[in-house]
Structure formats: C-alpha cells, structure tokens
C-alpha cells in the first residue's frame, strides 16, 4: 500500500502509525456518526428488491428481483421525467453557479457596510418553505388577481395569460424561482473562499496596472476553480433528484404543465400516494442514488485527469 | 490602496446597483408576504393577494399566539436546537476534515471514500427510521431532532477537508510539530485560527440546516407536541392543508377538514413568524461571520 | 373381565375427548380475564396500556392528555386497562402509522382511512379478528352494534380484518349547495320544493333546475362567481361507482350491473364534463379555480362564490351552513346510493403484531358499546369541552368556541360509535334514526364490499395515475373542451395499460361475486 507515499508535500520518509493516532481520534466521532446515520440503515436497501409483508418482517419478506423498478421505466412518461430531471438540474448547475460566483465576487469587493444587509436579504428566501414560495408565485401569476396579469400586462395593453395552463413559460419560471431561492445560500461558500484569498495577489496585479475585470479573470476565477469544481461534482451526484416543493407545489400541481414539471420525484410521489408502497419508493431512491454515484465517479475521473487538485478524491 | 480610482468607483457603483436589484427581488415578495398576513382572510380569498388590501386584520397573529403558547415554545425549541446542533456539528466535522487532510495519513483514500459514499447513498426512510427508533431508541425525544441526518454529512466534511488541504500550509504545521507541539495543540492553536472561514461557513450551513429542518420532527415526534420546532409547527399545518386540498375527491370530509384548518392569512402569518428570528438575529451573527472570514485571510 | 376393561377404556377415551374439546376454546371468558388483569394491576400498581391511533385534521388536540385520563378512569374500572390516544396529523398519518407498524412499535388499534384497506391487509398489518374466536368472545358489544351486512362487506376472502364504524354509509350525490341570500336575491321559491315540510334538510330536484338557478344567479350577481368546482365531480356528483377505489374501471350502473367499464369513454362522463365546461364558458367559474387550493366552503364563506357541490346526508344543510358561514339550501340531483367502497373506506383494525389482542379488542368493544367512553372519545369532558343543554343537545361551554376549544377534533364520523354519544346543537335529536333510515333506504351498489388488490399492477397504476392527474382537473373543472381533452387522455391511458388494468379488475370482481353468491 504505497498510497501514503503518493501524497504531496514534504515527505521525509514514512511516519510511524503511532504518529497518526491523534488524527484517528479526531476523526473518530465523525466516523462513528456516519456509521450510525448512513451505514447502519444501508442493509435496508434490500427492501427495493422485496415485496414487504409485516408478518415476515424485512428479512423474511420475499425477493422479487427488479420488479419494483418496473414502474419507473415501463411508462411513456419515463422519457419525459428523466429529461425534465436532467435538463433542469443541468440548467440549475450552470445558472446557479454563475450567479452565485458573480454575486460573491461583487460582495467580496464591496466596501460599504451595506453589503451585510445585502447578504442577509438574499439569504432570506432560503429560509422559507417552498410551499410559501408557491403562494407568492401564485400572487404574481394568478390568472384573475395576479400582479403580472393585473398590473403589468394590463398597463402594457396585453391580454391576461393563464400562466398555470401554459407549459411554455415554466422552464424559465422554475429556473428563476429556484435561483431566487438558493442564490444567497450558494454564494456563502464562494464568498468565504474569495475572502480567504491572499490579498497580495490583487495588490501586485493592481500595481502592474491590471483592470478589475482582468483581476477577476486572472486571479479570482482560477483560484475559485477547485471550489467550483467540487460544488459542481456534488451537484452532479444529485442530478437525478429534484426539489419536490419546486416541481410539485410551485406549479400548483397543475396537470397542464406536467410535460415540463414532472420529474422523477414527483412522478414517484403521485404514483405511490395511493399505493402506499414503500418498497417502490425505496427502489426509486436506489435508482436515483446509483445513477448519481456513477456519474460522479466518471466525472471525478475526468477531473482528476485534467486538474488533480480539483478532484474530490 | 486607499485611493479610489475611477474604475474602482464605477465598479462599486455597478455592484451596488446589481445587489440593490437582487435585494428588491427579495424584499418585494417578502413585503407581500407580511402584508397578506395582516389581511383579512375572506378578503384574501375574494380578491387574491394585494399590496394594498381592502381589509386588514390581525386575526392571524391572534390565532397563532393564542393557541396555548405553542409558538413561543416552538421558538425556544428551534433556538436551542440550532445552538446545540451547530456546536455539535462543528465538533464532529472539523476534526474529521482536518484529520483527513493530513498528508501521509494511512488509509486516507479509504476513509475519504467512506465519507464520500455517504453523500450519495443512504438507506431509505424505513430502514433509517427503524435504526433510530428500535436500535438507537431516540423516537419522541430531543435527540430525534438533533441527530438524524443533521450532525454532519459528507458534503461539509469534504468541503472543509479541501479547505484544509489548500489553505492551511503543511509547512506551518510541521514547524509546530518540530517545535514540540502535540497534534492536538497544533490543531487548536494553529490550524483552526487559520481555518476560520471554513469553520464559519460550515457552522452557518449547520445552523441553517437545523433551523430549517422540519422532517425529523415530522417523522419522529408523534407524541411530543412540546418538542415541535417552529418550522415543524408551520409545515405540519401546511402539509395538512396541501394534503387535504390535493385529495379532496379521495378523502371523505376533506373539505370539512380544510375549512376547519386555519386558512390563508394564517399560513402567511406562520411563515413570517418562522423567519422573524432570522431577521432579528442574523445581522448580529453576520458581523461575526464577516470578521471570522476576513481575519482568517491574513497570512503571515 | 374383557368386557369391563373395554367399557372402562371407552369411558376413559370419551372423557379425555371431552376434556380436550373443552380445552380447545382456550380463551377464558371476558369477566375472568378482566378480574385477573385488575388483580395484577393492583399488585404491581401499573395498568396494561392499549394504543389507539387515528388522525385529525390538525393533529393532537391540546386537551388530549386530560380526556385520556378521564377515559382511563373509566377503563380501569371496567376493564383493568388504560388506553393511550395517539391522534396524528392527517398529512403524516399514513407515513407515521406505516412506520410504526413496520418497525414493531406498540400500536394496537388503528384506522385504515388514508392508508387503504387492501394495502394494509396485503402488507400484513391486520389481525384476523375471528382468530380463536377473539371477537366472538370479547367483542359482543361490537357485533351487536354493527349491521351484519356491513360486517359481511368488511371481509376480504371471507376473513374479517376490519370493523366499520357507525355513520352515514350511504351518500346523496350531486348536492348543490347554494347560499340562501342569493336565492332570495333572485326571488327563487325554494321553500315549496321540500318534499316533507317537517324535514327541510334537502330539496330533491334535477339538473334543469340547477341550470335555471345558475343562469339567474349569474345575471343578478355578475361580480361574483356562481360555482366553485372541485374534483369530486364524479365521485361525489354521480352514482358512478369507482370500484376498487380508483377511476380506472368503474361501474356505470352499480345498482344493476357488475360490468367494469372505462369511465372516460362513457357518455356519462362526457356529459358531466360538458356541463361543467359550459358553465366555465358562461363565466360561472373562476379562471383560477384549477390552481386555487382553498376549500370550497371557505370560498363560499368569503362571499365571492355562491354555490358548490358536495355529497349530502341527513342534516347536511346544517353542517354546510356552518362551514360556509351563511344559511345554505341543498339541492340534491341524484338518488341516494351506497357505493362499493362506502363501508370499507375507513375500518378499525387490530395490529397483527399486537402483544395482547384480548386487551385491544376489549378496549375497542368499550368504544363501541359504552356511552361513557364513547362520549369522552368523541366530545371530550363534560362541562369542560361541552355542556348538555336542557333539550338534550350539547354545545360549547361559555367562552369556548371552535378556535380555542381544547378537544374538538370533529372526527366523530371516524370513531367507533357516535350513535351512542351526544348530539350537537342544531342537529335533529333523532339524527341517528334518520341516518339508519338513510342507510337502509339508499340503493346499494351490487359490488358493496368489493376491494381490489392492485399490487401486481403497480407500474400500470402509477403510470395511469400520473396521466389522470395531468388531465383530470382540467376536465372536471371545465377548463378544457371534453371533445378533445377526453380523447387525448384516453389515448395516453390506453398506451399505459388501462385495458389490462380494467380486465384484471373485472376478473377480481367476478371472482368476488362468485365467492359471495352475487349475480
């Protein structure tokens, strides 16, 4: 096992195991917690392959192979829900990252004390539940009383739009709503990263006559690369999941919009609401985890080839 | 650089304009939220949400604060939970991340994978529930709010680990060791102060996670209404309303149930009640956040 | 000698046979069990506990602990037991109960409303109540209280897994409730339309009358919406029986036929959708109806909407008037009917993992037959949660109302026996008699009691449900033209396996009919 020898830094020969004991002790609470919280329930994954009966319990219930997964694929909606989930998540990754990084750069450089106010304010949406957000969206998009129809379109002389019946607008609406909700939260990581960069670089660059934009392009962005890559990799791991509140509550569960708002999670929820079968939802969850996991592994390998410092592991 | 160049000024100006727009984007809907919580319920149903409603009423808040101090107690639970939870989360996450970032640690790859795996895989609801209820036995207790899923997760750990690797130079730590400091002293006296930004960030994430969480209470608190956090209380009501309204045709008397649950204005009021402490406390926490980050940026 | 021995042998054999026969009914009589339990409790100072779970619309009422203690005072005396009331939120009920049942926590008695009867039986949660003569020995009160037909309807494969409560089993479909003030405003004479001048609950009429009224209402009150639609158009608005609990394969003529047909290609469905669509086009319905989740009665209460449709029962006008905050007149346009699911939709079960089924069934028996505990369970503590009026009605005490009451969950129709409990003011004192008559006189679906186990068709069902969710509201609220909308939906449903599903349901129904001797 020569892994230890591969790590960067000044290595002066192999250190004895004894040397690392304090570190293992430091790591212990976390390791134990992850074991209890994540690894102990893992054997329950077998539920995805069984037909559950309370009399037999989890272990006694019968195996049914992959038939619990059928409902995810044996449907014409399978393409739509997969496309929607993937499509939105890719859009979210790009849009959210660009805006979060942008805002973080602006805030980092801001001198006035009001920047604290800005940062607090944009964090607020993250603290209210998506259901309340759906009511606020409704206040804007309601056909009869909505702000857009009544105040904006009316004054522009346009006809009111039945927003909840027209799928065409919703990809944009959902991306904007999602951005609104997570922007403040997402920029925390980037902001704290930027603030920790050595100011010396910027001073040197400024003395050399670099413009603000050049400084951002040459210093900030490259230094941010590892963080952005890591956040993106983690987002890729969740690429088959979706925010239930965003895709179910915000469109007010309107059937006319399903073609653009039905994701794997909402499909599973709707289908299983009356069936009440948790083996099916366990199967769906497993499917989402496995796909995400494979994608992250693959992407991480790619990243490791291109820029080893940025890879997750 | 103390003199503001023209370019600097333009840049600051643009920054302010952009941030002002983004802030207004938040303030306006929030204002609508607050106004609707003060609007008479029937008016809300009749005319929809408006910035200048016909009839105002404080009934929603009367209802909330009248129902047996449940709200005040829920605030207390939320605050306690967030404080304890954040401390616990930091105590577990930061040392682990630090340990994982040490070069030469045997089985480092394995341990990192062990952590990483948990980001993407966990048992579904039923096995997790059985684990915590039957094996660990924390159902219907304060621990049920504190422990499941929130103490730490692979994401925080990896984030902190990458920060330690990138920004806390190995040389300084080795120098300390050569000077005779123990691993523990090195960690506490040197590494942590240098890592203030990430400690603050993880702390903030943990605090937000604990404050926002309502799922744990929803699943694990069936007999302890006195342990509901404020978000749990709010979301319970909203989930009931959503569930009933979306299943009106299936559930008998669902309409009666919907009519019985406090309605629109009260939901708005509960949302306001839910963010109020944040609005009040965050500016104070914020200054510590900024201090923590900027101080940490100073390198020797 | 030989003869003597053989006689002796036969006597010995006979007596041992008799002994074992007596021992076969292993269950001791109820009184003995209770006496033993009480003695044990006296000795140890602790009583055995039975957990009784059900849901309410807003979770556990504040006064639950107090009421529970009062119930226990009575139960300790009569049964030597205590009960724990586990009242959960409606939205989390299914999840909480399922988790408790699968993880082996103590939950002895639960209701399968929101969970699904067939699902519970399939997943093995329910105890066979006749196992070892459990209910016959300890639940005589239950067997006496429940109508034998309803008990039969509650069986699956002839096993009794659940018990229905005493309530209105039948329903009065198509009950259009219109605000009285608006009818007065258009000068409509509804008073003369009551069949029985002494019973002014419901007016029985037809769709033409409703159309006339709506047209006049729309003209007189152009700034109000005439009708608040709901997706209960077929389930509460017609006699079409959605056998098996879903809309995929229904009985269009449940009183006369056992043929499971496709609801969506039927003329009846088109007619219903067309009518609502007409109303939408005429402007009776708000364009926001499809996204607004406010309760129908709350909409009427706000004063912006004038009418809504629901399902009626005896004294329904009192109930709906209370909900809508104004006097309402109820016009019912379809005949009273008891649909196949009426009985099995919310049964009471014993957990098959229950440690002491005898104790559980005895507690359940008490709720079915003992007015003291039934009143406590349903209405709370006398003089604290309610007061008894001179004429026998009950109402809130001074200073208490529905917003600050500590124990007012309105779940009386879910609980075992409301017929032996008090009657709230404004409801007629002979309400229970009226309900029994209502149940008896309603026409009954031929498939009464049929339940469909669709676990083998989970894929089809989830696909069908998603498609249905996509189109249903738009059609049932009248937002899209049925001509094109239904065709589109039908095409997708067929592609998702609708016909397979219907065929399977028909097969199950035929098997059930044969087993139960129904033509």
């Amino acid at each position: 096992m020569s892994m230890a020898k591969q790590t960067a830094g000044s290595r002066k020969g192999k250190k004895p195991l004894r040397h690392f004991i304090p570190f293992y002790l430091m790591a212990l609470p976390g390791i134990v917690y992850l074991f209890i919280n994540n690894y102990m329930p893992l054997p329950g994954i077998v539920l995805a392959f069984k037909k559950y009966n309370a009399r037999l319990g989890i272990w006694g219930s019968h195996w049914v192979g992959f038939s619990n997964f059928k409902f995810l694929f044996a449907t014409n909606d399978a393409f739509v829900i997969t496309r929607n989930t993937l499509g939105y998540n890719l859009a979210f990754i790009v849009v959210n990252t660009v805006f979060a990084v942008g805002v973080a750069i602006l805030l980092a450089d801001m001198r006035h004390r009001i920047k604290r106010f800005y940062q607090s304010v944009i964090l607020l949406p993250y603290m209210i539940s998506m259901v309340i957000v759906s009511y606020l969206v409704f206040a804007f998009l309601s056909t009869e009383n909505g702000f857009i129809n009544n105040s904006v379109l009316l004054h522009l002389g346009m006809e009111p739009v039945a927003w909840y019946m027209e799928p065409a607008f919703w990809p944009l609406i959902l991306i904007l709503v999602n951005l609104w909700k997570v922007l403040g939260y997402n920029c925390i990581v980037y902001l704290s990263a930027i603030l920790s960069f050595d100011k010396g670089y910027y001073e040197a660059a400024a003395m050399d006559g670099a413009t603000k934009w050049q400084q951002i392009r040459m210093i900030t962005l490259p230094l941010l690369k590892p963080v952005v890559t890591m956040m993106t990799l983690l987002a890729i791991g969740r690429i088959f999941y979706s925010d239930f509140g965003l895709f179910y509550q915000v469109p007010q569960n309107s059937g006319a919009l399903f073609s653009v708002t039905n994701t794997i999670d909402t499909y599973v929820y709707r289908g299983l609401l009356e069936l009440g079968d948790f083996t099916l939802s366990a199967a769906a969850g497993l499917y989402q985890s496995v796909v995400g996991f494979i994608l992250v592994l693959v992407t991480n390998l790619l990243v490791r080839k291109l820029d080893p410092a940025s890879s997750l592991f | 650089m103390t003199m503001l160049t023209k370019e600097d000024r333009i840049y600051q100006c643009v920054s302010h304009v952009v941030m002002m727009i983004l802030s207004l984007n938040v303030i306006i809907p929030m204002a609508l939220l607050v106004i609707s919580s003060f609007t008479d319920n029937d008016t809300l149903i009749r005319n929809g949400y408006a910035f200048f409603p016909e009839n105002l009423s404080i009934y929603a808040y009367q209802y909330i604060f009248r129902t047996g101090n449940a709200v005040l107690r829920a605030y207390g639970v939320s605050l306690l939970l967030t404080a304890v939870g954040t401390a616990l989360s930091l105590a577990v996450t930061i040392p682990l991340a630090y340990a994982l970032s040490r070069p030469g640690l045997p089985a480092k790859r394995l341990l990192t994978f062990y952590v990483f795996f948990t980001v993407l895989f966990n048992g579904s609801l039923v096995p997790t529930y059985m684990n915590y209820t039957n094996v660990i036995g924390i159902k219907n207790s304060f621990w049920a709010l504190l422990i499941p899923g929130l103490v730490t997760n692979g994401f925080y750990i990896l984030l902190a680990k990458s920060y330690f690797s990138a920004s806390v130079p190995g040389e300084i730590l080795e120098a300390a060791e050569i000077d005779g400091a123990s691993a523990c002293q090195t960690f506490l006296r040197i590494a942590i102060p240098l890592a203030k930004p990430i400690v603050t960030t993880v702390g903030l994430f943990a605090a937000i996670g604990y404050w926002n969480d309502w799922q744990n209470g929803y699943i694990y608190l069936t007999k302890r209404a006195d342990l509901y956090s404020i978000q749990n209380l709010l979301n319970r009501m909203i989930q009931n309303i959503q569930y009933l309204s979306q299943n009106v045709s299936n559930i008998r008397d669902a309409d009666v149930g919907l009519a019985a649950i406090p309605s629109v204005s009260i939901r708005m009021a509960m949302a306001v009640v839910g963010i109020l402490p944040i609005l009040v406390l965050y500016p104070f926490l914020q200054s510590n956040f900024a201090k923590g980050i900027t101080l940490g940026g100073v390198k020797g | 000698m030989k003869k003597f021995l053989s006689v002796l042998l036969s006597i010995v054999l006979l007596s041992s046979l008799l002994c074992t026969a007596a021992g076969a009914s292993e269950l001791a009589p109820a009184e003995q069990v209770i006496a033993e339990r009480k003695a044990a409790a006296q000795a140890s100072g602790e009583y055995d506990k039975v957990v009784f779970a059900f849901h309410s619309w807003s979770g556990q009422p504040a006064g639950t602990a107090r009421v529970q203690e009062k119930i226990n005072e009575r139960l300790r005396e009569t049964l030597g037991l205590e009960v724990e009331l586990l009242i959960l939120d409606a939205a989390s009920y299914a999840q909480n109960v399922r988790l408790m049942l699968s993880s082996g926590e103590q939950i002895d008695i639960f209701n399968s409303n929101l969970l699904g009867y067939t699902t519970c039986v399939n997943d093995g949660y329910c105890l066979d109540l006749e196992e070892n003569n459990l209910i016959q020995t300890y639940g005589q009160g239950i067997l006496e209280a429940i109508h034998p037909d309803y008990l039969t309807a509650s069986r699956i494969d002839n096993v009794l897994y659940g018990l229905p409560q005493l309530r209105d089993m039948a329903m009065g479909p198509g009950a259009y409730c219109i605000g009285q003030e608006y009818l007065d405003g258009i000068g409509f004479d509804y008073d003369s339309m009551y069949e029985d001048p002494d019973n002014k609950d419901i007016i029985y009429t037809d769709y033409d009358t409703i159309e006339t009224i709506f047209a006049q209402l729309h003209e007189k009150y152009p700034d109000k919406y005439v009708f608040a639609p709901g997706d209960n158009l077929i389930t509460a608005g017609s006699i079409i029986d959605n056998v098996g609990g879903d809309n995929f394969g229904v009985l269009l003529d449940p009183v006369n036929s056992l043929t499971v047909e496709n609801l969506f290609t039927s003329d009846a469905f088109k007619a219903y959708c067309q009518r609502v669509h007409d109303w939408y086009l005429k402007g009776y319905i708000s364009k926001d109806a499809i996204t607004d989740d406010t309760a129908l009665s709350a909409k009427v209460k706000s004063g912006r909407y004038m009418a809504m449709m629901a399902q009626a029962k005896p004294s329904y006008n009192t109930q709906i008037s209370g909900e809508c905050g104004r006097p309402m007149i109820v016009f019912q346009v379809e005949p009273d009917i008891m649909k196949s699911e009426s009985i099995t939709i919310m049964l009471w079960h014993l957990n098959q993992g229950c440690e002491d089924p005898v104790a559980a069934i005895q507690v359940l028996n008490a709720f079915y037959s003992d007015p003291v505990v039934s009143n406590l369970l349903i209405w709370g503590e006398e003089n604290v949660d309610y007061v008894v009026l001179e004429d026998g009605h009950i109402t809130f005490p001074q200073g208490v109302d529905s917003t600050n009451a500590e124990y007012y969950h309105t779940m009386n129709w879910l609980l075992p026996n409301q017929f032996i409990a008090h009657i709230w003011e404004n409801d007629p004192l002979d309400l229970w008699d009226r309900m029994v008559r209502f149940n008896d006189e309603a026409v009954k679906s031929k498939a009464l009691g049929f339940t469909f186990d669709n676990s083998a068709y989970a894929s089809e069902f989830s696909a069908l449900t998603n498609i249905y969710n996509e189109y249903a509201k738009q059609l049932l609220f009248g937002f899209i033209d049925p001509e094109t909308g239904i065709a589109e939906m039908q095409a997708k449903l067929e592609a998702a396996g609708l016909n397979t599903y219907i065929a399977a349901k028909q097969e199950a129904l035929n098997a059930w009919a044969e087993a139960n001797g129904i033509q």
Side-chain angles (χ1 to χ4, degrees), chain C residues 84-98:
Chain C
E84 183 181 309
L85 297 179
L86 189 61
I87 311 181
L88 301 165
D89 291 89
S92 66
Y93 178 75
Q95 186 179 69
N96 284 140
V97 170
R98 222 174 259 132

Side-chain angles (χ1 to χ4, degrees), chain B residues 8-259:
Chain B
D8 256 346
R9 265 187 300 216
I10 296 180
Y11 182 78
Q12 291 288 315
C13 211
V14 169
S15 302
H16 278 279
V17 168
V18 171
M19 291 314 297
M20 201 29 104
I21 295 179
L22 287 175
S23 301
L24 278 176
N25 265 334
V26 173
I27 293 176
I28 292 179
M30 291 297 177
L32 186 61
L33 181 68
V34 173
I35 292 175
S36 4
S37 69
F38 282 105
T39 307
D40 170 57
N41 194 55
D42 286 338
T43 313
L44 271 178
I45 299 179
R46 264 205 305 273
N47 302 336
Y49 302 85
F51 284 100
F52 300 102
E54 254 173 36
N55 296 325
L56 293 174
S57 146
I58 55 169
Y59 174 73
Y61 290 98
Q62 282 175 325
Y63 179 90
I64 291 176
F65 287 100
R66 185 199 330 193
T67 49
N69 283 330
V71 172
L72 294 175
R73 191 166 38 224
Y75 268 141
V77 172
S78 284
L79 286 172
L80 181 66
L81 182 64
T82 306
V84 173
T86 307
L88 186 64
S89 180
L90 286 173
V92 169
T93 310
I94 302 295
L96 173 57
Y98 177 72
L100 281 182
S101 71
R102 289 305 89 211
L105 185 79
K108 176 171 164 168
R109 267 283 204 75
L110 182 65
L111 283 174
T112 311
F113 187 78
Y114 174 89
V115 167
F116 172 66
F117 190 76
T118 66
V119 176
L120 298 173
F121 277 97
N122 37 21
S124 54
L125 178 62
V126 175
T128 311
Y129 175 86
M130 285 201 209
N131 185 36
Y132 276 117
T133 308
N134 292 343
V135 180
I136 314 283
I138 56 172
K139 189 174 175 187
N140 280 318
S141 74
F142 184 73
W143 303 107
L145 296 177
L146 191 63
I147 298 181
L150 291 173
V151 174
T152 185
N153 58 47
F155 169 55
Y156 297 167
I157 298 169
L158 291 176
L159 194 65
K161 165 179 172 286
S162 95
Y163 186 88
F164 276 116
S165 305
S167 312
V168 178
E171 296 83 28
I172 294 191
L173 298 169
E174 297 213 357
E177 279 169 28
I178 291 177
D179 281 349
S182 71
C184 196
Q185 285 171 321
T186 318
F187 174 60
L188 288 173
R189 302 244 178 86
I190 303 182
I192 297 264
L194 282 176
K196 269 237 183 94
I198 198 64
V199 172
T200 327
T201 307
V202 171
L204 192 58
F205 281 162
I208 293 178
Y210 274 106
W211 182 268
N212 273 354
D213 172 65
W214 55 277
Q215 305 268 20
N216 278 353
Y218 206 59
I219 300 172
Y220 293 103
L221 294 181
T222 51
K223 302 184 200 176
R224 297 288 304 272
D226 57 317
L227 282 180
Y228 290 167
S229 69
I230 194 77
Q231 297 285 29
N232 189 359
L233 199 58
L234 168 64
N235 276 286
R236 252 171 214 275
M237 183 185 301
I238 288 188
Q239 289 294 321
N240 283 340
I241 295 172
Q242 296 294 109
Y243 184 74
L244 285 175
S245 64
Q246 276 146 14
N247 289 294
V248 159
S249 54
N250 298 339
I251 304 178
R252 208 203 123 89
D253 268 13
D255 223 44
V256 180
L258 271 179

